Amino acid sequence: MKKRFVIAIDSFKGCLTSAEAAETAAAALHECADDVETVCLPMSDGGEGMLEAFTAALGGSVTGTYVHDPMMRRRWAEYGVTPCGTAVIETAKACGLTLMADGERNPLRATTYGVGELVAAAVKRGCRKFIIGLGGSGTSDAGIGMLRALTDKLAPRSGTIDDALGGCLGACSFTLACDVDAPLLGSGGAAAVFAPQKGATPEMVPLLERRAERFARASALHFGYDRSALPGAGAAGGLGYAFMQYLNAETRPGADLLLDISGFDDATDGAACVITGEGRADRQTLMGKLPCRVMRRAAAKSIPVWLLAGQVSDHDRLAEAGFTKIITVTPEGTDLRKAMEKSVALDNLRSAIIKAVISN
């Protein structure tokens, strides 16, 4: 009987996609033994690689449309569509931090307008269910830009968001793949915690906070309820809030959502081992990141879990948490830039898997 390995690896950010890492691990396992069966599950926690992972898990295909980036420059952005009418949107494709040069990063100016254009395009295509990944944004506009685009694209005559919501948009359901619990406002909110990471100066932070506060106050008066304090409202610079307040979105941890969609629990029935991983593993891995969620599900079935990472620290804490084998992919002394080259990373990953199998 063949030994079944379930491979559920997150992307190695800036280096390998989830699919590339999983395929390389699977090939290495088959290279080691003939009695091996591998199951590769595309993985993402809602950030980088979310579009490809969720679309593949849902049996959909990737399409695209022209939108505006955070600086309102026209660009092509992809989104996923499934046969049953679910759209998968990775918001960073339209408002991501990486779409701006370092000198352009200014959360007072950057807009989520392009996200609204993606949603509107999917709505016009017939999609009525949406899975939205909120990771990697370069914006802090509380979703105001997104709502403006929805109005422009879906209610151009009246120019009001209410008319857009009263049309087909109101029949849509939204699920946010989000691992951020921050509220919109306050010391733990979008402006205070995340805006500096997106280029905000100390002088900009209170301005961003006041803008979001005014918007939330006006929105609460309009609807008669206020969702700005809900966990996740501060995600993606407050984009989470706009989805919750205006589109009645619910939030789910991105990793758990994808594990459910991909059938992880069924795939691991009878498995000999689960292999997971990410670019860097440390104590933050245990704070609900994808490898940790994979490990907890597998451990509940007493299935051994191997953790792969380009770099590893806090080894003992990771082992105590439940990872059976912790594997550092990058050989000691390797230059980081060299290790980040795709061909080098793939070779290192292959070698690490082979060594792990031999020593097991």
Side-chain angles (χ1 to χ4, degrees):
M1 185 175 178
K2 291 188 175 183
K3 294 180 180 179
R4 181 144 50 90
F5 287 75
V6 176
I7 304 171
I9 303 176
D10 202 354
S11 63
F12 284 30
K13 288 182 173 57
C15 183
L16 300 177
T17 67
S18 170
E20 289 169 340
E23 290 166 5
T24 299
L29 288 168
H30 287 288
E31 190 176 337
C32 292
D34 295 327
D35 62 340
V36 167
E37 175 190 356
T38 56
V39 178
C40 295
L41 301 177
M43 286 290 113
S44 169
D45 58 7
E48 182 180 339
M50 176 269 178
L51 170 62
E52 293 78 11
F54 276 78
T55 302
L58 288 165
S61 58
V62 174
T63 184
T65 186
Y66 280 102
V67 303
H68 291 83
D69 75 1
M71 297 289 102
M72 289 300 288
R73 295 171 297 215
R74 197 163 180 261
R75 66 170 286 110
W76 181 259
E78 295 179 328
Y79 64 97
V81 178
T82 73
C84 63
T86 297
V88 179
I89 292 178
E90 183 178 337
T91 58
K93 298 290 186 182
C95 71
L97 188 65
T98 59
L99 301 181
M100 297 175 284
D102 290 347
E104 295 176 328
R105 294 173 180 177
N106 179 348
L108 280 173
R109 179 186 172 194
T111 177
T112 54
Y113 192 91
V115 177
E117 291 177 302
L118 280 177
V119 173
V123 168
K124 290 179 179 180
R125 194 183 179 97
C127 296
R128 294 296 180 265
K129 292 184 179 180
F130 288 78
I131 297 175
I132 311 289
L134 295 180
S137 77
T139 54
S140 191
D141 71 350
I144 295 171
M146 177 195 72
L147 297 172
R148 181 71 261 168
L150 289 175
T151 302
D152 290 346
K153 299 299 179 181
L154 300 178
R157 291 186 179 180
S158 67
T160 68
I161 188 64
D162 286 339
D163 281 350
L165 294 173
C168 53
L169 186 61
C172 297
S173 63
F174 294 82
T175 300
L176 307 180
C178 173
D179 290 323
V180 172
D181 291 332
L184 176 65
L185 305 171
S187 60
V193 176
F194 301 108
Q197 302 170 15
K198 303 172 184 184
T201 64
E203 294 76 22
M204 290 180 187
V205 172
L207 297 177
L208 292 166
E209 178 78 5
R210 285 198 293 272
R211 181 173 70 180
E213 186 178 9
R214 286 194 302 269
F215 177 54
R217 189 185 309 119
S219 299
L221 288 171
H222 183 74
F223 287 102
Y225 54 82
D226 180 12
R227 293 174 176 161
S228 64
L230 290 180
L239 184 56
Y241 163 75
F243 274 107
M244 293 177 186
Q245 181 75 23
Y246 284 79
L247 300 171
N248 294 311
E250 64 172 12
T251 63
R252 288 280 309 278
D256 282 338
L257 179 59
L258 184 54
L259 289 171
D260 289 341
I261 289 172
S262 64
F264 177 85
D265 292 336
D266 290 338
T268 52
D269 284 344
C273 181
V274 171
I275 299 177
T276 187
E278 59 183 340
R280 178 178 176 81
D282 52 30
R283 66 184 64 194
Q284 292 186 26
T285 300
L286 304 177
M287 297 178 184
K289 294 178 73 175
L290 187 144
C292 183
R293 294 182 185 275
V294 167
M295 180 269 291
R296 288 172 179 167
R297 290 199 183 199
K301 295 182 174 183
S302 299
I303 302 172
V305 181
W306 295 1
L307 174 64
L308 292 167
Q311 295 179 310
V312 175
S313 57
D314 304 307
H315 185 284
D316 291 344
R317 293 189 65 170
L318 294 168
E320 290 170 6
F323 290 105
T324 310
K325 188 184 288 286
I326 301 164
I327 304 164
T328 303
V329 170
T330 306
E332 188 174 350
T334 304
D335 177 73
L336 182 58
R337 289 186 179 181
K338 185 69 175 177
M340 291 283 286
E341 293 178 9
K342 181 169 292 190
S343 60
V344 175
L346 290 172
D347 285 342
N348 287 339
L349 180 58
R350 172 184 167 276
S351 298
I353 288 285
I354 292 173
K355 288 179 183 177
V357 172
I358 292 173
S359 65
N360 194 44

PDB file of all heavy atoms in Angstrom, residues 296-324:
ATOM      1  N   ARG A 296      -2.422  21.920  13.183  1.00  0.00           N
ATOM      2  CA  ARG A 296      -3.441  21.623  14.196  1.00  0.00           C
ATOM      3  C   ARG A 296      -4.501  20.671  13.667  1.00  0.00           C
ATOM      4  O   ARG A 296      -4.961  19.773  14.385  1.00  0.00           O
ATOM      5  CB  ARG A 296      -4.076  22.925  14.677  1.00  0.00           C
ATOM      6  CG  ARG A 296      -3.144  23.749  15.560  1.00  0.00           C
ATOM      7  CD  ARG A 296      -3.723  25.111  15.871  1.00  0.00           C
ATOM      8  NE  ARG A 296      -2.824  25.887  16.734  1.00  0.00           N
ATOM      9  CZ  ARG A 296      -2.946  27.185  16.968  1.00  0.00           C
ATOM     10  NH1 ARG A 296      -3.953  27.862  16.402  1.00  0.00           N
ATOM     11  NH2 ARG A 296      -2.094  27.815  17.749  1.00  0.00           N
ATOM     12  N   ARG A 297      -4.890  20.845  12.421  1.00  0.00           N
ATOM     13  CA  ARG A 297      -5.883  19.938  11.848  1.00  0.00           C
ATOM     14  C   ARG A 297      -5.323  18.526  11.689  1.00  0.00           C
ATOM     15  O   ARG A 297      -6.002  17.534  11.955  1.00  0.00           O
ATOM     16  CB  ARG A 297      -6.368  20.465  10.500  1.00  0.00           C
ATOM     17  CG  ARG A 297      -7.223  21.712  10.595  1.00  0.00           C
ATOM     18  CD  ARG A 297      -8.032  21.887   9.333  1.00  0.00           C
ATOM     19  NE  ARG A 297      -8.812  23.112   9.359  1.00  0.00           N
ATOM     20  CZ  ARG A 297      -9.859  23.340   8.585  1.00  0.00           C
ATOM     21  NH1 ARG A 297     -10.243  22.421   7.711  1.00  0.00           N
ATOM     22  NH2 ARG A 297     -10.531  24.477   8.652  1.00  0.00           N
ATOM     23  N   ALA A 298      -4.076  18.442  11.220  1.00  0.00           N
ATOM     24  CA  ALA A 298      -3.460  17.133  11.032  1.00  0.00           C
ATOM     25  C   ALA A 298      -3.179  16.468  12.374  1.00  0.00           C
ATOM     26  O   ALA A 298      -3.392  15.253  12.535  1.00  0.00           O
ATOM     27  CB  ALA A 298      -2.174  17.266  10.225  1.00  0.00           C
ATOM     28  N   ALA A 299      -2.710  17.257  13.343  1.00  0.00           N
ATOM     29  CA  ALA A 299      -2.387  16.706  14.664  1.00  0.00           C
ATOM     30  C   ALA A 299      -3.627  16.133  15.343  1.00  0.00           C
ATOM     31  O   ALA A 299      -3.535  15.174  16.117  1.00  0.00           O
ATOM     32  CB  ALA A 299      -1.752  17.781  15.541  1.00  0.00           C
ATOM     33  N   ALA A 300      -4.788  16.721  15.056  1.00  0.00           N
ATOM     34  CA  ALA A 300      -6.028  16.210  15.640  1.00  0.00           C
ATOM     35  C   ALA A 300      -6.318  14.787  15.172  1.00  0.00           C
ATOM     36  O   ALA A 300      -7.066  14.049  15.817  1.00  0.00           O
ATOM     37  CB  ALA A 300      -7.191  17.126  15.272  1.00  0.00           C
ATOM     38  N   LYS A 301      -5.714  14.404  14.039  1.00  0.00           N
ATOM     39  CA  LYS A 301      -5.851  13.041  13.523  1.00  0.00           C
ATOM     40  C   LYS A 301      -4.601  12.208  13.801  1.00  0.00           C
ATOM     41  O   LYS A 301      -4.462  11.105  13.263  1.00  0.00           O
ATOM     42  CB  LYS A 301      -6.090  13.083  12.010  1.00  0.00           C
ATOM     43  CG  LYS A 301      -7.388  13.739  11.582  1.00  0.00           C
ATOM     44  CD  LYS A 301      -7.517  13.662  10.060  1.00  0.00           C
ATOM     45  CE  LYS A 301      -8.854  14.170   9.592  1.00  0.00           C
ATOM     46  NZ  LYS A 301      -9.023  14.026   8.119  1.00  0.00           N
ATOM     47  N   SER A 302      -3.696  12.759  14.599  1.00  0.00           N
ATOM     48  CA  SER A 302      -2.423  12.094  14.937  1.00  0.00           C
ATOM     49  C   SER A 302      -1.575  11.818  13.704  1.00  0.00           C
ATOM     50  O   SER A 302      -0.872  10.800  13.624  1.00  0.00           O
ATOM     51  CB  SER A 302      -2.695  10.783  15.697  1.00  0.00           C
ATOM     52  OG  SER A 302      -3.387  11.046  16.898  1.00  0.00           O
ATOM     53  N   ILE A 303      -1.632  12.729  12.728  1.00  0.00           N
ATOM     54  CA  ILE A 303      -0.819  12.600  11.518  1.00  0.00           C
ATOM     55  C   ILE A 303       0.442  13.435  11.682  1.00  0.00           C
ATOM     56  O   ILE A 303       0.359  14.620  12.040  1.00  0.00           O
ATOM     57  CB  ILE A 303      -1.604  13.087  10.282  1.00  0.00           C
ATOM     58  CG1 ILE A 303      -2.897  12.295  10.121  1.00  0.00           C
ATOM     59  CG2 ILE A 303      -0.748  12.979   9.019  1.00  0.00           C
ATOM     60  CD1 ILE A 303      -3.811  12.850   9.039  1.00  0.00           C
ATOM     61  N   PRO A 304       1.628  12.872  11.439  1.00  0.00           N
ATOM     62  CA  PRO A 304       2.869  13.654  11.528  1.00  0.00           C
ATOM     63  C   PRO A 304       2.859  14.820  10.545  1.00  0.00           C
ATOM     64  O   PRO A 304       2.325  14.703   9.428  1.00  0.00           O
ATOM     65  CB  PRO A 304       3.955  12.638  11.155  1.00  0.00           C
ATOM     66  CG  PRO A 304       3.337  11.297  11.349  1.00  0.00           C
ATOM     67  CD  PRO A 304       1.873  11.464  11.069  1.00  0.00           C
ATOM     68  N   VAL A 305       3.446  15.934  10.961  1.00  0.00           N
ATOM     69  CA  VAL A 305       3.485  17.126  10.121  1.00  0.00           C
ATOM     70  C   VAL A 305       4.916  17.627  10.000  1.00  0.00           C
ATOM     71  O   VAL A 305       5.571  17.907  11.016  1.00  0.00           O
ATOM     72  CB  VAL A 305       2.591  18.246  10.695  1.00  0.00           C
ATOM     73  CG1 VAL A 305       2.643  19.474   9.776  1.00  0.00           C
ATOM     74  CG2 VAL A 305       1.166  17.777  10.862  1.00  0.00           C
ATOM     75  N   TRP A 306       5.393  17.736   8.763  1.00  0.00           N
ATOM     76  CA  TRP A 306       6.708  18.312   8.497  1.00  0.00           C
ATOM     77  C   TRP A 306       6.536  19.779   8.138  1.00  0.00           C
ATOM     78  O   TRP A 306       5.655  20.138   7.348  1.00  0.00           O
ATOM     79  CB  TRP A 306       7.400  17.593   7.340  1.00  0.00           C
ATOM     80  CG  TRP A 306       7.745  16.159   7.607  1.00  0.00           C
ATOM     81  CD1 TRP A 306       7.496  15.437   8.737  1.00  0.00           C
ATOM     82  CD2 TRP A 306       8.391  15.268   6.697  1.00  0.00           C
ATOM     83  NE1 TRP A 306       7.943  14.152   8.602  1.00  0.00           N
ATOM     84  CE2 TRP A 306       8.500  14.008   7.356  1.00  0.00           C
ATOM     85  CE3 TRP A 306       8.875  15.382   5.401  1.00  0.00           C
ATOM     86  CZ2 TRP A 306       9.085  12.905   6.749  1.00  0.00           C
ATOM     87  CZ3 TRP A 306       9.465  14.293   4.790  1.00  0.00           C
ATOM     88  CH2 TRP A 306       9.569  13.056   5.465  1.00  0.00           C
ATOM     89  N   LEU A 307       7.397  20.605   8.690  1.00  0.00           N
ATOM     90  CA  LEU A 307       7.382  22.039   8.411  1.00  0.00           C
ATOM     91  C   LEU A 307       8.618  22.410   7.601  1.00  0.00           C
ATOM     92  O   LEU A 307       9.747  22.221   8.057  1.00  0.00           O
ATOM     93  CB  LEU A 307       7.353  22.845   9.709  1.00  0.00           C
ATOM     94  CG  LEU A 307       7.481  24.366   9.577  1.00  0.00           C
ATOM     95  CD1 LEU A 307       6.296  24.947   8.807  1.00  0.00           C
ATOM     96  CD2 LEU A 307       7.603  25.012  10.949  1.00  0.00           C
ATOM     97  N   LEU A 308       8.406  22.936   6.395  1.00  0.00           N
ATOM     98  CA  LEU A 308       9.491  23.405   5.536  1.00  0.00           C
ATOM     99  C   LEU A 308       9.549  24.919   5.571  1.00  0.00           C
ATOM    100  O   LEU A 308       8.513  25.583   5.527  1.00  0.00           O
ATOM    101  CB  LEU A 308       9.249  22.979   4.091  1.00  0.00           C
ATOM    102  CG  LEU A 308       9.314  21.502   3.718  1.00  0.00           C
ATOM    103  CD1 LEU A 308       8.737  21.321   2.327  1.00  0.00           C
ATOM    104  CD2 LEU A 308      10.741  21.016   3.755  1.00  0.00           C
ATOM    105  N   ALA A 309      10.733  25.490   5.627  1.00  0.00           N
ATOM    106  CA  ALA A 309      10.867  26.945   5.555  1.00  0.00           C
ATOM    107  C   ALA A 309      12.245  27.305   5.042  1.00  0.00           C
ATOM    108  O   ALA A 309      13.227  26.597   5.312  1.00  0.00           O
ATOM    109  CB  ALA A 309      10.643  27.584   6.917  1.00  0.00           C
ATOM    110  N   GLY A 310      12.308  28.404   4.314  1.00  0.00           N
ATOM    111  CA  GLY A 310      13.598  28.862   3.832  1.00  0.00           C
ATOM    112  C   GLY A 310      14.532  29.169   4.976  1.00  0.00           C
ATOM    113  O   GLY A 310      15.721  28.835   4.945  1.00  0.00           O
ATOM    114  N   GLN A 311      13.988  29.810   6.009  1.00  0.00           N
ATOM    115  CA  GLN A 311      14.739  30.108   7.230  1.00  0.00           C
ATOM    116  C   GLN A 311      13.900  29.697   8.430  1.00  0.00           C
ATOM    117  O   GLN A 311      12.671  29.825   8.412  1.00  0.00           O
ATOM    118  CB  GLN A 311      15.071  31.598   7.305  1.00  0.00           C
ATOM    119  CG  GLN A 311      16.018  32.089   6.221  1.00  0.00           C
ATOM    120  CD  GLN A 311      16.282  33.586   6.339  1.00  0.00           C
ATOM    121  OE1 GLN A 311      15.363  34.386   6.448  1.00  0.00           O
ATOM    122  NE2 GLN A 311      17.556  33.959   6.337  1.00  0.00           N
ATOM    123  N   VAL A 312      14.553  29.227   9.477  1.00  0.00           N
ATOM    124  CA  VAL A 312      13.851  28.780  10.682  1.00  0.00           C
ATOM    125  C   VAL A 312      14.523  29.372  11.914  1.00  0.00           C
ATOM    126  O   VAL A 312      15.745  29.340  12.049  1.00  0.00           O
ATOM    127  CB  VAL A 312      13.856  27.236  10.796  1.00  0.00           C
ATOM    128  CG1 VAL A 312      13.223  26.801  12.124  1.00  0.00           C
ATOM    129  CG2 VAL A 312      13.120  26.598   9.632  1.00  0.00           C
ATOM    130  N   SER A 313      13.720  29.934  12.799  1.00  0.00           N
ATOM    131  CA  SER A 313      14.172  30.308  14.137  1.00  0.00           C
ATOM    132  C   SER A 313      13.115  29.830  15.132  1.00  0.00           C
ATOM    133  O   SER A 313      12.030  29.400  14.729  1.00  0.00           O
ATOM    134  CB  SER A 313      14.385  31.825  14.251  1.00  0.00           C
ATOM    135  OG  SER A 313      13.211  32.528  13.937  1.00  0.00           O
ATOM    136  N   ASP A 314      13.413  29.896  16.419  1.00  0.00           N
ATOM    137  CA  ASP A 314      12.495  29.399  17.447  1.00  0.00           C
ATOM    138  C   ASP A 314      12.149  27.928  17.209  1.00  0.00           C
ATOM    139  O   ASP A 314      10.990  27.498  17.366  1.00  0.00           O
ATOM    140  CB  ASP A 314      11.211  30.232  17.487  1.00  0.00           C
ATOM    141  CG  ASP A 314      11.476  31.706  17.697  1.00  0.00           C
ATOM    142  OD1 ASP A 314      12.181  32.040  18.671  1.00  0.00           O
ATOM    143  OD2 ASP A 314      11.003  32.515  16.872  1.00  0.00           O
ATOM    144  N   HIS A 315      13.173  27.162  16.838  1.00  0.00           N
ATOM    145  CA  HIS A 315      12.993  25.754  16.490  1.00  0.00           C
ATOM    146  C   HIS A 315      12.301  24.982  17.612  1.00  0.00           C
ATOM    147  O   HIS A 315      11.363  24.201  17.366  1.00  0.00           O
ATOM    148  CB  HIS A 315      14.358  25.126  16.172  1.00  0.00           C
ATOM    149  CG  HIS A 315      14.287  23.709  15.679  1.00  0.00           C
ATOM    150  ND1 HIS A 315      14.044  22.638  16.510  1.00  0.00           N
ATOM    151  CD2 HIS A 315      14.425  23.184  14.423  1.00  0.00           C
ATOM    152  CE1 HIS A 315      14.046  21.520  15.815  1.00  0.00           C
ATOM    153  NE2 HIS A 315      14.268  21.820  14.542  1.00  0.00           N
ATOM    154  N   ASP A 316      12.743  25.173  18.856  1.00  0.00           N
ATOM    155  CA  ASP A 316      12.197  24.411  19.973  1.00  0.00           C
ATOM    156  C   ASP A 316      10.712  24.708  20.184  1.00  0.00           C
ATOM    157  O   ASP A 316       9.921  23.801  20.469  1.00  0.00           O
ATOM    158  CB  ASP A 316      12.979  24.703  21.258  1.00  0.00           C
ATOM    159  CG  ASP A 316      14.386  24.137  21.214  1.00  0.00           C
ATOM    160  OD1 ASP A 316      14.653  23.271  20.353  1.00  0.00           O
ATOM    161  OD2 ASP A 316      15.230  24.568  22.030  1.00  0.00           O
ATOM    162  N   ARG A 317      10.331  25.973  20.039  1.00  0.00           N
ATOM    163  CA  ARG A 317       8.925  26.341  20.228  1.00  0.00           C
ATOM    164  C   ARG A 317       8.060  25.730  19.146  1.00  0.00           C
ATOM    165  O   ARG A 317       6.928  25.298  19.405  1.00  0.00           O
ATOM    166  CB  ARG A 317       8.760  27.861  20.237  1.00  0.00           C
ATOM    167  CG  ARG A 317       9.408  28.536  21.433  1.00  0.00           C
ATOM    168  CD  ARG A 317       9.052  29.994  21.537  1.00  0.00           C
ATOM    169  NE  ARG A 317       7.620  30.193  21.786  1.00  0.00           N
ATOM    170  CZ  ARG A 317       7.097  31.371  22.096  1.00  0.00           C
ATOM    171  NH1 ARG A 317       7.865  32.444  22.206  1.00  0.00           N
ATOM    172  NH2 ARG A 317       5.803  31.490  22.306  1.00  0.00           N
ATOM    173  N   LEU A 318       8.570  25.676  17.937  1.00  0.00           N
ATOM    174  CA  LEU A 318       7.825  25.064  16.840  1.00  0.00           C
ATOM    175  C   LEU A 318       7.645  23.564  17.074  1.00  0.00           C
ATOM    176  O   LEU A 318       6.568  23.012  16.821  1.00  0.00           O
ATOM    177  CB  LEU A 318       8.545  25.306  15.515  1.00  0.00           C
ATOM    178  CG  LEU A 318       8.610  26.763  15.043  1.00  0.00           C
ATOM    179  CD1 LEU A 318       9.589  26.900  13.872  1.00  0.00           C
ATOM    180  CD2 LEU A 318       7.218  27.257  14.629  1.00  0.00           C
ATOM    181  N   ALA A 319       8.695  22.935  17.573  1.00  0.00           N
ATOM    182  CA  ALA A 319       8.613  21.499  17.850  1.00  0.00           C
ATOM    183  C   ALA A 319       7.644  21.218  18.997  1.00  0.00           C
ATOM    184  O   ALA A 319       6.841  20.278  18.938  1.00  0.00           O
ATOM    185  CB  ALA A 319      10.005  20.958  18.183  1.00  0.00           C
ATOM    186  N   GLU A 320       7.710  22.044  20.025  1.00  0.00           N
ATOM    187  CA  GLU A 320       6.799  21.867  21.161  1.00  0.00           C
ATOM    188  C   GLU A 320       5.348  22.060  20.752  1.00  0.00           C
ATOM    189  O   GLU A 320       4.443  21.428  21.309  1.00  0.00           O
ATOM    190  CB  GLU A 320       7.158  22.864  22.271  1.00  0.00           C
ATOM    191  CG  GLU A 320       8.468  22.562  22.970  1.00  0.00           C
ATOM    192  CD  GLU A 320       8.911  23.701  23.882  1.00  0.00           C
ATOM    193  OE1 GLU A 320       8.125  24.656  24.035  1.00  0.00           O
ATOM    194  OE2 GLU A 320      10.025  23.605  24.442  1.00  0.00           O
ATOM    195  N   ALA A 321       5.122  22.919  19.768  1.00  0.00           N
ATOM    196  CA  ALA A 321       3.764  23.199  19.331  1.00  0.00           C
ATOM    197  C   ALA A 321       3.141  22.009  18.605  1.00  0.00           C
ATOM    198  O   ALA A 321       1.912  21.890  18.552  1.00  0.00           O
ATOM    199  CB  ALA A 321       3.750  24.417  18.423  1.00  0.00           C
ATOM    200  N   GLY A 322       3.986  21.141  18.034  1.00  0.00           N
ATOM    201  CA  GLY A 322       3.431  19.954  17.402  1.00  0.00           C
ATOM    202  C   GLY A 322       3.997  19.576  16.049  1.00  0.00           C
ATOM    203  O   GLY A 322       3.598  18.556  15.482  1.00  0.00           O
ATOM    204  N   PHE A 323       4.915  20.374  15.494  1.00  0.00           N
ATOM    205  CA  PHE A 323       5.519  19.982  14.219  1.00  0.00           C
ATOM    206  C   PHE A 323       6.472  18.817  14.447  1.00  0.00           C
ATOM    207  O   PHE A 323       7.379  18.886  15.281  1.00  0.00           O
ATOM    208  CB  PHE A 323       6.262  21.158  13.588  1.00  0.00           C
ATOM    209  CG  PHE A 323       5.356  22.247  13.083  1.00  0.00           C
ATOM    210  CD1 PHE A 323       5.232  23.447  13.775  1.00  0.00           C
ATOM    211  CD2 PHE A 323       4.609  22.068  11.928  1.00  0.00           C
ATOM    212  CE1 PHE A 323       4.390  24.448  13.321  1.00  0.00           C
ATOM    213  CE2 PHE A 323       3.759  23.061  11.462  1.00  0.00           C
ATOM    214  CZ  PHE A 323       3.643  24.260  12.167  1.00  0.00           C
ATOM    215  N   THR A 324       6.285  17.736  13.717  1.00  0.00           N
ATOM    216  CA  THR A 324       7.060  16.515  13.917  1.00  0.00           C
ATOM    217  C   THR A 324       8.494  16.670  13.422  1.00  0.00           C
ATOM    218  O   THR A 324       9.444  16.189  14.050  1.00  0.00           O
ATOM    219  CB  THR A 324       6.400  15.350  13.158  1.00  0.00           C
ATOM    220  OG1 THR A 324       5.012  15.308  13.471  1.00  0.00           O
ATOM    221  CG2 THR A 324       7.050  14.033  13.532  1.00  0.00           C
TER     222      THR A 324
END
